[in-house]
Amino acid sequence: MGFFDFLTEDIAIDLGTANTLIIHNDKVVVDSPSIVARNRLSGKIIAVGNEAAMMQGKTHENIKTVRPLKDGVIADFEASEQMISMFIKEIPALKKRLFTPSLRMVICIPSGITEVEMRAVKDSAERVNGKEVYLIHEPMAAAIGIGVDIMQPKGNMIVDIGGGTTEIAVIALGGIVCDRSVKVAGDVFTNDIIYYMRTQHNLFVGERTAEKIKIQIGSATEDLETVPEEMNVQGRDLLTGKPKQVEISFREIAKALDKSILRIEDAVMETLSQTPPELAADIYNTGIYLAGGGSMLRGLDKRLSQKTDLPVYIAEDPLRSIVRGTGITLKNIEKFKPILIQ
Ligand SMILES: Nc1ncnc2c1ncn2[C@@H]1O[C@H](COP(=O)(O)OP(=O)(O)O)[C@@H](O)[C@H]1O
Ligand SMILES: [Mg+2]
């Protein structure tokens, strides 16, 4: 232990395609959309997180909003580095410090990202004073966050439905036995709704409105126990060009999302079919765990359960289970070192 170790701070980061969360001292200190707003002329970043999200869809030609990790790959390295750095600087306890402390970090990354992208995340972290930087795969962090003992010789299936990707993994003995990452998740659901409104109602709605529809009345099935009320949706009429309002029911949204949900179902079925029999037997008993914001879509758990004939459980607070798992890993770093990517 070095003399200056008291200057080291531990932080856990869930670098998600839709949301970035940071835990410091056991508390979630950052929970913000993974968005940056940049001035096109100077190239300077003018806002990140919520502030940048508010600008989305409302920008003029000199401002551009980017989601650096949109499809589970790093689309914009520079923007993602600046985003990480600005989020770290926002941590209240570090803001007050005279010097930027050196950081020990565990960062959770989408498992679809390449070696080069992993390297880039690590380099970025080191440039913001990361002295010890570890990466962890998302399904692993999700499992730990849900409370699964991943080191056991026992199979568990995790399905993490985020913004850009759905990550499906079977975990046993601290490793991923088989996995699959599909680019169908919350963002695709939102786009399905935009497309549906345009083709069925001649109504042009923006991404923010479509996301609101998804959260307020979105459903994976028409067969729901508690049915959400109809919703009034405003947008632009494609024929007249005038602003207009239509009333939408959850059944329509279930139809709009059906194809995308099918793709997730298929990916889960394929992963199950590749699972070694002993682990499949475990999963028969333990069922499937869902995490990530997309898992909150009404009826998705029920639909997956009917498709697989397995019990399906949604993590408590699914938007935070990944960062919680990353935080637990950080706190017990010696125990979890074998599963981390150095
Ligand atoms: N109640 C909800 N119902 C359906 N989808 C939701 C709900 N809340 C959040 N989402 C969706 O969850 C996604 C974000 O999930 P998250 O796990 O943060 O993703 P990521 O890990 O990729 O950043 C977004 O697409 C968002 O629209
Ligand atoms: Mg995530």
Side-chain angles (χ1 to χ4, degrees):
M1 202 193 247
F3 182 67
F4 287 108
D5 273 7
F6 66 93
L7 290 173
T8 306
E9 294 284 345
D10 284 354
I11 59 172
I13 307 182
D14 167 15
L15 192 57
T17 64
N19 297 297
T20 296
L21 291 93
I22 301 182
I23 285 184
H24 175 246
N25 286 341
D26 299 324
K27 275 204 296 284
V28 176
V29 287
V30 173
D31 182 349
S32 293
S34 309
I35 303 179
V36 243
R38 174 187 275 151
N39 184 315
R40 272 192 215 259
L41 301 175
S42 65
K44 256 178 82 173
I45 304 281
I46 46 181
V48 294
N50 283 312
E51 208 187 322
M54 306 260 261
M55 299 179 183
Q56 241 192 340
K58 300 187 177 176
T59 52
H60 52 77
E61 60 180 25
N62 289 345
I63 299 178
K64 190 182 172 204
T65 55
V66 229
R67 283 184 45 196
L69 293 139
K70 198 161 187 216
D71 295 311
V73 295
I74 302 182
D76 186 330
F77 284 101
E78 204 193 317
S80 63
E81 174 163 340
Q82 293 193 29
M83 187 177 79
I84 298 172
S85 138
M86 284 171 87
F87 282 146
I88 290 175
K89 285 185 192 133
E90 266 176 29
I91 300 174
L94 303 191
K95 245 189 197 162
K96 284 185 262 162
R97 290 289 199 82
L98 231 42
F99 309 97
T100 327
S102 51
L103 301 169
R104 184 161 72 155
M105 305 192 228
V106 178
I107 307 175
C108 175
I109 45 157
S111 38
I113 82 171
T114 61
E115 292 274 324
V116 176
E117 290 169 332
M118 271 189 225
R119 186 73 244 167
V121 170
K122 225 182 144 189
D123 287 348
S124 300
E126 278 162 7
R127 274 194 288 269
V128 293
N129 240 3
K131 197 179 67 172
E132 255 181 87
V133 181
Y134 305 92
L135 304 182
I136 181 169
H137 281 304
E138 185 148 358
M140 209 65 119
I144 297 168
I146 288 167
V148 169
D149 188 351
I150 57 155
M151 297 300 192
Q152 290 285 316
K154 210 170 155 213
N156 282 285
M157 178 176 258
I158 312 289
V159 180
D160 172 11
I161 308 166
T165 58
T166 293
E167 319 250 338
I168 304 158
V170 173
I171 294 171
L173 288 170
I176 295 177
V177 182
C178 42
D179 68 335
R180 198 157 279 258
S181 171
V182 284
K183 290 193 164 79
V184 180
D187 293 338
V188 170
F189 301 161
T190 303
N191 284 330
D192 288 341
I193 294 172
I194 295 176
Y195 181 78
Y196 179 87
M197 296 306 288
R198 199 172 63 212
T199 50
Q200 300 298 312
H201 293 282
N202 284 317
L203 188 73
F204 191 23
V205 298
E207 228 167 88
R208 277 157 58 100
T209 301
E211 174 153 348
K212 232 195 250 163
I213 301 172
K214 177 176 74 178
I215 292 172
Q216 202 171 317
I217 61 166
S219 174
T221 161
E222 292 189 43
D223 175 23
L224 284 183
E225 263 142 48
T226 34
V227 168
E229 261 177 58
E230 269 79 27
M231 178 179 176
N232 287 322
V233 176
Q234 297 90 20
R236 192 180 81 209
D237 189 316
L238 281 165
L239 300 174
T240 65
K242 290 190 273 192
K244 126 174 143 175
Q245 172 171 299
V246 292
E247 200 185 63
I248 303 293
S249 84
F250 84 96
R251 286 179 202 284
E252 292 182 74
I253 305 304
K255 283 198 193 84
L257 301 181
D258 187 54
K259 276 206 188 101
S260 299
I261 309 290
L262 257 176
R263 287 183 61 194
I264 294 179
E265 280 180 346
D266 287 347
V268 170
M269 292 304 288
E270 274 170 45
T271 316
L272 282 172
S273 72
Q274 281 163 9
T275 305
E278 293 297 339
L279 299 179
D282 293 338
I283 293 167
Y284 180 84
N285 291 314
T286 52
I288 299 175
Y289 298 99
L290 302 186
S295 70
M296 288 194 281
L297 186 72
R298 280 175 202 78
L300 183 59
D301 52 340
K302 189 171 166 192
R303 207 174 138 168
L304 280 175
S305 174
Q306 279 167 353
K307 178 85 186 183
T308 57
D309 286 322
L310 293 169
V312 173
Y313 308 101
I314 304 175
E316 172 193 350
D317 202 357
L319 282 162
R320 291 192 167 184
S321 36
I322 287 97
V323 76
R324 212 179 310 125
T326 312
I328 294 171
T329 316
L330 177 68
K331 248 189 140 169
N332 304 281
I333 197 122
E334 290 310 322
K335 171 178 171 196
F336 287 115
K337 253 185 194 159
I339 67 159
L340 297 173
I341 311 156
Q342 289 223 3

